[in-house]
Amino acid sequence: MEKTLEVLLKQVRDKRDQVVEAVANNAAKDYSEYQKLCGEIRGLSITEGFILDLAKKMEFSDE
């Protein structure tokens, strides 16, 4: 995997882990904030998938 993608993937995973930890520690003040945090987790997970798909495509295009 390209170094740039590795760095980006790490940043996305680190941020997702922070948000998951916040949810686990009851950081949401109300249901609306809980939904926002869940949306962030979902978005970061989707982004992770996009990065992994891109890395695979780049790997196979080199062959």
Side-chain angles (χ1 to χ4, degrees), residues 5-56:
L5 291 180
E6 287 178 12
V7 170
L8 184 58
L9 189 59
K10 181 177 178 350
Q11 289 175 335
V12 168
R13 287 176 172 166
D14 288 347
K15 179 61 178 174
R16 187 184 59 210
D17 289 345
Q18 290 172 3
V19 178
V20 167
E21 188 173 329
V23 170
N25 291 325
N26 296 318
K29 296 177 183 97
D30 55 25
Y31 186 67
S32 176
E33 190 169 340
Y34 171 79
Q35 286 181 307
K36 177 187 166 291
L37 293 172
C38 289
E40 284 186 47
I41 293 168
R42 192 173 311 120
L44 290 164
S45 294
I46 291 169
T47 302
E48 177 185 24
F50 288 157
I51 294 168
L52 292 172
D53 288 346
L54 178 59
K56 273 187 187 176

